[in-house]
Structure formats: C-alpha cells, structure tokens
Amino acid sequence: MAKLLGRNMQIFAGEYDFSGELNSVSLSLVNETADITTFGNDNRQRLPAGIVGGEISFSGFYNSSASAIGEQISSLLSASAVYGLYPNGASLMDYGKEIVGILDDYSIQGDVGNAIALDSKIQSTCVVLDAVSVGFVSSSVFTTNIQS
C-alpha cells in the first residue's frame, strides 16, 4: 500500500461527515489482555485473547452554523453511533476502520486572537472493524464490514 497524505482523510460520525471541519484525527487500537499471573510465577501470564477496543480522537474548528459540526456533535452525546475513519477518502471501495462508540469527551476552546477549536474523543463499545466504502447515498457513507 502506498504512503498517504492526510488531506484526503474522511471521518464520519453516524450520518454526519466531519471531514471539512477537522484538521487532526487519530485512531488507537488496544487489545486488553487479562492478567492471570499467580503466586510463584517469575513472568507475567496473560490470556491469549483479550478484549479488542479502540478510540478515535479528533480536533478541528468549531462551527455553530445550522447542520455544522457544533450542532451535529451535540446530537451524538447521548447515544452510541458508528464512527468511520477512511485514510484515503471514502470513494467506492476505499478501505477504512469503523467502530461503534460513544462520544465521551467534547470540549471547545478559544481565545481572542485565534479561531475557536474543538477536541473530541470516542471510546469504542465493540470490536474495531475493517470496512470498505460502497459509496455515498444521501450524504452518508455506507460500508460493508470485512472479516479480520
């Protein structure tokens, strides 16, 4: 796979496309393995299969216009949603990652001399999935999950 520039990256939150409002995004994956070390062991012992999870963090510029990120992100605070991250865009057959998650951190910062910024974090509530875009329909991306 080719190395990519971040300028084509797209991030979707439920039915919303946040790409035009953001300038930084990261996806962290984690495999939480259970520690089963007992007395007398010289080394840590862990169960081989853990709980896979992840987190998407993003930041950008606050926009309070109707149907912009300020309004859209507020509607996501109360429920879980599907969040998709597509490093090379979300045209037909582009690959990405999706999580079902909960927006658990949202902040807005600003000062007199700069644009108002926002930061947010989504915690996954299930396995992080590989996904392939099957294109845009009604301004949202539809994906099909690929078995990892």
Side-chain angles (χ1 to χ4, degrees), residues 3-18:
K3 293 177 176 61
L4 303 172
L5 291 175
R7 70 176 177 226
N8 293 326
M9 188 172 302
Q10 288 188 276
I11 182 168
F12 298 91
E15 64 190 69
Y16 306 116
D17 181 354
F18 284 174

Side-chain angles (χ1 to χ4, degrees), residues 1 4-14 17 19 25 27 56 82-99 129-136 140-146:
M1 179 178 238
L4 303 172
L5 291 175
R7 70 176 177 226
N8 293 326
M9 188 172 302
Q10 288 188 276
I11 182 168
F12 298 91
D17 181 354
S19 309
V25 64
L27 170 67
I56 295 177
V82 176
Y83 294 86
L85 177 63
Y86 291 83
N88 198 33
S91 298
L92 188 61
M93 301 306 290
D94 280 332
Y95 287 89
K97 295 284 187 188
E98 288 187 348
I99 66 171
L129 301 170
D130 289 325
V132 62
S133 171
V134 293
F136 288 96
S140 64
V141 68
F142 285 78
T143 57
T144 182
N145 295 324
I146 300 171

Side-chain angles (χ1 to χ4, degrees), residues 10-129:
Q10 288 188 276
I11 182 168
F12 298 91
E15 64 190 69
Y16 306 116
D17 181 354
F18 284 174
S19 309
E21 310 282 356
L22 304 178
N23 63 0
S24 176
V25 64
S26 68
L27 170 67
S28 302
L29 305 176
V30 64
N31 183 17
E32 297 176 28
T33 55
D35 186 344
I36 56 170
T37 308
T38 59
F39 297 115
N41 286 331
D42 291 334
N43 298 310
R44 279 270 173 230
Q45 304 294 311
R46 300 203 180 266
L47 289 176
I51 299 172
V52 178
E55 173 183 293
I56 295 177
S57 298
F58 55 85
S59 59
F61 302 102
Y62 181 76
N63 184 344
S64 62
S65 301
S67 72
I69 195 167
E71 180 183 307
Q72 294 168 346
I73 205 166
S74 296
S75 72
L76 295 168
L77 284 168
S78 61
S80 65
V82 176
Y83 294 86
L85 177 63
Y86 291 83
N88 198 33
S91 298
L92 188 61
M93 301 306 290
D94 280 332
Y95 287 89
K97 295 284 187 188
E98 288 187 348
I99 66 171
V100 175
I102 297 173
L103 180 68
D104 72 347
D105 185 12
Y106 173 50
S107 62
I108 301 169
Q109 312 89 27
D111 60 48
V112 173
N114 292 307
I116 297 174
L118 66 86
D119 287 305
S120 200
K121 183 171 52 175
I122 294 105
Q123 294 289 337
S124 71
T125 57
C126 72
V127 175
V128 177
L129 301 170

